[in-house]
Amino acid sequence: MPRRSRLHIPQHHSRPGEEPDFSYLETSPAGAVGRPDVNARVRDIGHLAVELVRVLDDDHGAAGPWHPHLDPPELQVGLRHMLLTRIFDDRMQRAQRTGKISFYMRSFGEEAVSVAQCMALRPRDMLFPSYRNQGLYVVRGKPLVELMCQLLSNTRDMCKGRQLPVMYHWKDGRIFSISGNLTTQFPQAVGWAMAAAIKGEDDIAVSWIGEGSSAEADFHHAMLFASVYQAPVILNVVNNQWAISTFQGFAGGEQRSFAARGPGYGMAGVRVDGNDFLAVYAVTQWAAERARTGAGPTLIEHVTYRGAAHSTSDDPSRYRPKDDYEKWPLGDPVERLKNHLISLGEWSEERHAALVKELEEHVLESWKEAVQYGTLTDGPRLSRDLMWEDVFKEMPEHLRKQREQLRAEQGG
Amino acid sequence: MPQMNMIQALNSAMDIMLGRDPNVVVLGEDVGYFGGVFRVTDGLQRKYGEHRVLDTPIAEGAIVGAAIGMGVNGLRPVAEVQFADYIYPACDQIFSELARLRYRSAGEFWAPVTIRTPCGGGIRGGQTHSQSPEGIFTHVCGIKVVMPSNPYDAKGLLIASIEDDDPVVFFEPKRIYNGPFDGDPNKPAVPWSTHPKGEVPDGYYTVPIGKAEVVRKGAQVTIVTYGTMVYVCEAAARSLGLDAEIIDVRTMVPLDVDTICTSVKKTGRCLIAHEATRFSGFGAELSATIQEECFWDLEAPIQRVAGWDTPYPHAFEWEYFPGPQRVAGGLKAVMETP
Ligand SMILES: Cc1ncc(C[n+]2csc(CCOP(=O)(O)OP(=O)(O)O)c2C)c(N)n1
Ligand SMILES: [Mg+2]
């Protein structure tokens, strides 16, 4: 029989009503992957793109050459940031359900990515996030009230009512404006990094996209520019296995890891357990030093899981098993760091419960303050005149006229 | 006659075409197993299989590029772009390739691609889930541009688009997927089952591309509009007690100049309304054409009502949206002039 070409359709392993099956996931034991010198040549470190860097083991210990040996207080801060991110997310999800905000996206299950990475970077490093990196704001200390005001599109909204909830920005905190158009930030981060190199500064740029977004041409453009100019940039692909209803096989993860695209473009690629706070921290530290010392860019793939719905508009029970997150082989990032701290004798269930309570109160207090500045449905509102500002630096005549027309139409 | 909303009508159109023509394929982000984020392709993959209804990677440029290749190789692809706001990565493939392939190859290569995409605001989608970019596509020679305003037309026009050997960009005004909307967000939602155009035959039929429809006959003024704005304009004219003739353009390219200008010549007055931004919007083309054809019959300058020339702001959705009040203002202006 002659062989024929065939159209391959990536198959997910478990659908609603089925037992979650993660047998496709290839992992490495904690501590098993070597840590090369930060100046290592790309051709010599191909293993990093295939294996899975892990530090935390199943018994809550930490092992191997990637162990970052952080002090317990620093680990406690990391735990706090992850928990705060999670509690904030939960509360905002509920606010959306009650109609106070129009839309929300949680980062449940992947908090370690933003939190550990941001802690491993310097405050002057420039961040180009996706919509699922709220942990960056928590680590850099943005008051929650200010994030909430953006979600509420109220009188203190940093975006002046122009953006959908979660599309924050923070110039002083060096976090770039979030776009609804996927992957656009990737080449922009590379350009920022090229500018830093042109100016001779040692700040680096860091960007994040989801694995689904790595399909866009902008991903490839970013990789190529980063590699050609050896830009001081860290490009992160957060492989949370899902892009709305479509699993990572449809973004090309079935045949090869996302990290392996790094070496494909001539840059370092590292595949890391994204739910392992210590591993994410260590890998980021390695990549940041590499970038800062002129040894080139790094692509990091974080293997993690989107524990929640894509957004408040999504219903994952239509396309994946209900209890899949509990069965995810890499566990939960908060639980893993918590248990590690407990095993070190530096944490306890009591302290944990007290921290949760403290953070819940903090979120609640922040919310009470934020709604005083207005919500989508009631309270004070932004001036509608703001609609015409910032389209251009100076308002052209035709916009001035339209502003007058609306004033006449609505009075005031 | 069966009742359908616009989502069901569009779904039915693809169902029928997948059934009639083995070369029809549907592709796009989340369209397969899930059935689309607006559920327009619901059930199609189950019925026709994974080789006919394909989930794709998130790469609009590749979706359209691949659709062109499939079209050249004999298939009849129906590609979905999840939101019109996300069609831009595909624009090089649409503008430079899809639109001109027939021309540059002297008619030897062509691709019968239909690109479906939900557009328009009024769903609290902010600036990247609310855009109406249809005008940009009308400026590119070689693609047909369609936007239905009701379930009956949606199904008939989509079947006609799929059967058309020219490329079609098919805009779906998502605010009226589930029912007509007169521009007042505070009124309870009205389902399509209350509207005559919610009656949709189960089987095959087409609504011709290139034909506008007079949705209301009237004598005092002609309103030229399309999509969601059809209902907003009806409400505005009603609020003023005006006997307006309302024309649903339905197809922007090729444009049914005849139907439009016959009406304007009769009424002598014309208002053009669309949700898209005003400057260089499709209303400008309409206005210029009507002026050229009907100048001596016009009693007053043509009025345009459109979205403001800003991005679509999340918090000011209803200040931005060209609602019945703004349309009424335009109607007053076009009626008052002696
Ligand atoms: C250019 C573009 N195409 C499509 C979309 C619609 N969309 C929003 S999020 C999303 C899925 C993204 O998945 P992934 O990159 O894996 O990120 P995750 O949501 O898992 O964090 C899609 C298709 C968009 N926002 N922009
Ligand atoms: Mg994802």
mmCIF file of all heavy atoms in Angstrom, chain B residues 7-31:
data_model
loop_
_atom_site.group_PDB
_atom_site.id
_atom_site.type_symbol
_atom_site.label_atom_id
_atom_site.label_comp_id
_atom_site.label_asym_id
_atom_site.label_seq_id
_atom_site.Cartn_x
_atom_site.Cartn_y
_atom_site.Cartn_z
ATOM 1 N N ILE B 7 -27.345 33.940 15.543
ATOM 2 C CA ILE B 7 -26.332 32.902 15.753
ATOM 3 C C ILE B 7 -26.805 31.586 15.127
ATOM 4 O O ILE B 7 -26.065 30.926 14.394
ATOM 5 C CB ILE B 7 -26.072 32.732 17.268
ATOM 6 C CG1 ILE B 7 -25.387 33.996 17.804
ATOM 7 C CG2 ILE B 7 -25.263 31.490 17.561
ATOM 8 C CD1 ILE B 7 -25.353 34.108 19.303
ATOM 9 N N GLN B 8 -28.066 31.257 15.381
ATOM 10 C CA GLN B 8 -28.610 30.009 14.820
ATOM 11 C C GLN B 8 -28.717 30.087 13.303
ATOM 12 O O GLN B 8 -28.474 29.102 12.599
ATOM 13 C CB GLN B 8 -29.993 29.742 15.433
ATOM 14 C CG GLN B 8 -29.916 29.447 16.922
ATOM 15 C CD GLN B 8 -31.252 29.623 17.622
ATOM 16 O OE1 GLN B 8 -32.068 30.479 17.261
ATOM 17 N NE2 GLN B 8 -31.484 28.809 18.646
ATOM 18 N N ALA B 9 -29.061 31.262 12.797
ATOM 19 C CA ALA B 9 -29.208 31.417 11.348
ATOM 20 C C ALA B 9 -27.854 31.262 10.644
ATOM 21 O O ALA B 9 -27.754 30.608 9.601
ATOM 22 C CB ALA B 9 -29.820 32.782 11.039
ATOM 23 N N LEU B 10 -26.820 31.837 11.241
ATOM 24 C CA LEU B 10 -25.480 31.726 10.656
ATOM 25 C C LEU B 10 -25.004 30.273 10.743
ATOM 26 O O LEU B 10 -24.387 29.740 9.812
ATOM 27 C CB LEU B 10 -24.511 32.648 11.395
ATOM 28 C CG LEU B 10 -24.765 34.154 11.186
ATOM 29 C CD1 LEU B 10 -24.076 34.978 12.279
ATOM 30 C CD2 LEU B 10 -24.266 34.597 9.804
ATOM 31 N N ASN B 11 -25.293 29.655 11.877
ATOM 32 C CA ASN B 11 -24.937 28.261 12.070
ATOM 33 C C ASN B 11 -25.633 27.394 11.012
ATOM 34 O O ASN B 11 -25.015 26.517 10.394
ATOM 35 C CB ASN B 11 -25.363 27.841 13.485
ATOM 36 C CG ASN B 11 -24.970 26.415 13.815
ATOM 37 O OD1 ASN B 11 -25.651 25.483 13.431
ATOM 38 N ND2 ASN B 11 -23.853 26.262 14.512
ATOM 39 N N SER B 12 -26.885 27.680 10.781
ATOM 40 C CA SER B 12 -27.651 26.924 9.798
ATOM 41 C C SER B 12 -27.066 27.097 8.394
ATOM 42 O O SER B 12 -26.991 26.147 7.611
ATOM 43 C CB SER B 12 -29.109 27.381 9.860
ATOM 44 O OG SER B 12 -29.828 26.882 8.776
ATOM 45 N N ALA B 13 -26.631 28.319 8.073
ATOM 46 C CA ALA B 13 -26.036 28.560 6.748
ATOM 47 C C ALA B 13 -24.801 27.687 6.552
ATOM 48 O O ALA B 13 -24.626 27.045 5.502
ATOM 49 C CB ALA B 13 -25.663 30.038 6.608
ATOM 50 N N MET B 14 -23.945 27.642 7.569
ATOM 51 C CA MET B 14 -22.723 26.830 7.431
ATOM 52 C C MET B 14 -23.057 25.346 7.421
ATOM 53 O O MET B 14 -22.456 24.563 6.677
ATOM 54 C CB MET B 14 -21.755 27.167 8.566
ATOM 55 C CG MET B 14 -21.038 28.485 8.325
ATOM 56 S SD MET B 14 -19.837 28.894 9.597
ATOM 57 C CE MET B 14 -20.906 29.611 10.821
ATOM 58 N N ASP B 15 -24.037 24.963 8.233
ATOM 59 C CA ASP B 15 -24.478 23.566 8.283
ATOM 60 C C ASP B 15 -24.929 23.129 6.879
ATOM 61 O O ASP B 15 -24.501 22.088 6.361
ATOM 62 C CB ASP B 15 -25.631 23.492 9.298
ATOM 63 C CG ASP B 15 -26.051 22.068 9.594
ATOM 64 O OD1 ASP B 15 -25.527 21.142 8.943
ATOM 65 O OD2 ASP B 15 -26.919 21.883 10.468
ATOM 66 N N ILE B 16 -25.753 23.965 6.264
ATOM 67 C CA ILE B 16 -26.263 23.611 4.939
ATOM 68 C C ILE B 16 -25.134 23.537 3.913
ATOM 69 O O ILE B 16 -25.060 22.596 3.112
ATOM 70 C CB ILE B 16 -27.342 24.632 4.518
ATOM 71 C CG1 ILE B 16 -28.628 24.336 5.293
ATOM 72 C CG2 ILE B 16 -27.577 24.611 3.011
ATOM 73 C CD1 ILE B 16 -29.661 25.412 5.215
ATOM 74 N N MET B 17 -24.234 24.482 3.960
ATOM 75 C CA MET B 17 -23.167 24.490 2.955
ATOM 76 C C MET B 17 -22.164 23.362 3.181
ATOM 77 O O MET B 17 -21.641 22.790 2.222
ATOM 78 C CB MET B 17 -22.466 25.854 2.922
ATOM 79 C CG MET B 17 -23.344 26.960 2.360
ATOM 80 S SD MET B 17 -24.175 26.518 0.808
ATOM 81 C CE MET B 17 -22.763 26.382 -0.290
ATOM 82 N N LEU B 18 -21.895 23.024 4.438
ATOM 83 C CA LEU B 18 -21.024 21.874 4.717
ATOM 84 C C LEU B 18 -21.681 20.604 4.192
ATOM 85 O O LEU B 18 -21.006 19.707 3.681
ATOM 86 C CB LEU B 18 -20.763 21.757 6.225
ATOM 87 C CG LEU B 18 -19.746 22.734 6.823
ATOM 88 C CD1 LEU B 18 -19.939 22.856 8.342
ATOM 89 C CD2 LEU B 18 -18.308 22.304 6.526
ATOM 90 N N GLY B 19 -23.014 20.545 4.310
ATOM 91 C CA GLY B 19 -23.747 19.376 3.850
ATOM 92 C C GLY B 19 -23.827 19.289 2.331
ATOM 93 O O GLY B 19 -23.743 18.209 1.752
ATOM 94 N N ARG B 20 -23.995 20.422 1.668
ATOM 95 C CA ARG B 20 -24.190 20.423 0.210
ATOM 96 C C ARG B 20 -22.902 20.272 -0.573
ATOM 97 O O ARG B 20 -22.892 19.736 -1.674
ATOM 98 C CB ARG B 20 -24.808 21.764 -0.224
ATOM 99 C CG ARG B 20 -26.290 21.866 -0.031
ATOM 100 C CD ARG B 20 -26.707 23.310 -0.243
ATOM 101 N NE ARG B 20 -26.721 23.698 -1.653
ATOM 102 C CZ ARG B 20 -27.809 23.750 -2.395
ATOM 103 N NH1 ARG B 20 -28.974 23.418 -1.877
ATOM 104 N NH2 ARG B 20 -27.744 24.136 -3.653
ATOM 105 N N ASP B 21 -21.834 20.845 -0.032
ATOM 106 C CA ASP B 21 -20.602 20.941 -0.817
ATOM 107 C C ASP B 21 -19.430 20.371 -0.009
ATOM 108 O O ASP B 21 -19.000 20.970 0.977
ATOM 109 C CB ASP B 21 -20.346 22.424 -1.159
ATOM 110 C CG ASP B 21 -19.097 22.621 -2.002
ATOM 111 O OD1 ASP B 21 -18.323 21.652 -2.172
ATOM 112 O OD2 ASP B 21 -18.880 23.755 -2.466
ATOM 113 N N PRO B 22 -18.906 19.225 -0.433
ATOM 114 C CA PRO B 22 -17.818 18.597 0.343
ATOM 115 C C PRO B 22 -16.545 19.446 0.384
ATOM 116 O O PRO B 22 -15.640 19.163 1.156
ATOM 117 C CB PRO B 22 -17.566 17.281 -0.409
ATOM 118 C CG PRO B 22 -18.132 17.486 -1.769
ATOM 119 C CD PRO B 22 -19.267 18.457 -1.639
ATOM 120 N N ASN B 23 -16.484 20.489 -0.459
ATOM 121 C CA ASN B 23 -15.288 21.336 -0.439
ATOM 122 C C ASN B 23 -15.362 22.461 0.585
ATOM 123 O O ASN B 23 -14.380 23.156 0.823
ATOM 124 C CB ASN B 23 -15.053 21.940 -1.824
ATOM 125 C CG ASN B 23 -14.600 20.878 -2.804
ATOM 126 O OD1 ASN B 23 -13.808 20.012 -2.450
ATOM 127 N ND2 ASN B 23 -15.136 20.925 -4.025
ATOM 128 N N VAL B 24 -16.513 22.644 1.191
ATOM 129 C CA VAL B 24 -16.619 23.699 2.201
ATOM 130 C C VAL B 24 -15.940 23.232 3.482
ATOM 131 O O VAL B 24 -16.173 22.117 3.959
ATOM 132 C CB VAL B 24 -18.090 24.075 2.468
ATOM 133 C CG1 VAL B 24 -18.205 25.000 3.675
ATOM 134 C CG2 VAL B 24 -18.700 24.735 1.233
ATOM 135 N N VAL B 25 -15.061 24.076 4.017
ATOM 136 C CA VAL B 25 -14.453 23.813 5.319
ATOM 137 C C VAL B 25 -14.601 25.072 6.168
ATOM 138 O O VAL B 25 -14.665 26.180 5.642
ATOM 139 C CB VAL B 25 -12.953 23.442 5.221
ATOM 140 C CG1 VAL B 25 -12.747 22.102 4.543
ATOM 141 C CG2 VAL B 25 -12.158 24.539 4.506
ATOM 142 N N VAL B 26 -14.672 24.869 7.474
ATOM 143 C CA VAL B 26 -14.779 25.978 8.423
ATOM 144 C C VAL B 26 -13.533 25.941 9.284
ATOM 145 O O VAL B 26 -13.129 24.869 9.740
ATOM 146 C CB VAL B 26 -16.056 25.817 9.279
ATOM 147 C CG1 VAL B 26 -16.062 26.806 10.441
ATOM 148 C CG2 VAL B 26 -17.309 25.981 8.416
ATOM 149 N N LEU B 27 -12.888 27.091 9.485
ATOM 150 C CA LEU B 27 -11.708 27.105 10.334
ATOM 151 C C LEU B 27 -11.629 28.391 11.148
ATOM 152 O O LEU B 27 -12.166 29.424 10.733
ATOM 153 C CB LEU B 27 -10.419 26.904 9.518
ATOM 154 C CG LEU B 27 -9.920 28.010 8.592
ATOM 155 C CD1 LEU B 27 -8.446 27.784 8.274
ATOM 156 C CD2 LEU B 27 -10.710 28.074 7.292
ATOM 157 N N GLY B 28 -10.977 28.299 12.307
ATOM 158 C CA GLY B 28 -10.812 29.484 13.140
ATOM 159 C C GLY B 28 -10.494 29.106 14.578
ATOM 160 O O GLY B 28 -10.478 27.925 14.936
ATOM 161 N N GLU B 29 -10.267 30.124 15.391
ATOM 162 C CA GLU B 29 -9.900 29.926 16.794
ATOM 163 C C GLU B 29 -11.133 29.513 17.591
ATOM 164 O O GLU B 29 -12.145 30.218 17.563
ATOM 165 C CB GLU B 29 -9.307 31.226 17.363
ATOM 166 C CG GLU B 29 -8.013 31.624 16.656
ATOM 167 C CD GLU B 29 -7.685 33.116 16.791
ATOM 168 O OE1 GLU B 29 -8.248 33.799 17.657
ATOM 169 O OE2 GLU B 29 -6.849 33.586 15.992
ATOM 170 N N ASP B 30 -11.064 28.395 18.264
ATOM 171 C CA ASP B 30 -12.139 27.896 19.141
ATOM 172 C C ASP B 30 -13.414 27.509 18.398
ATOM 173 O O ASP B 30 -14.457 27.320 19.017
ATOM 174 C CB ASP B 30 -12.487 28.931 20.236
ATOM 175 C CG ASP B 30 -11.312 29.268 21.135
ATOM 176 O OD1 ASP B 30 -10.906 28.390 21.899
ATOM 177 O OD2 ASP B 30 -10.794 30.402 21.058
ATOM 178 N N VAL B 31 -13.378 27.389 17.069
ATOM 179 C CA VAL B 31 -14.620 27.124 16.325
ATOM 180 C C VAL B 31 -15.015 25.647 16.320
ATOM 181 O O VAL B 31 -16.167 25.321 16.074
ATOM 182 C CB VAL B 31 -14.560 27.613 14.852
ATOM 183 C CG1 VAL B 31 -14.215 29.079 14.764
ATOM 184 C CG2 VAL B 31 -13.602 26.774 14.017
#
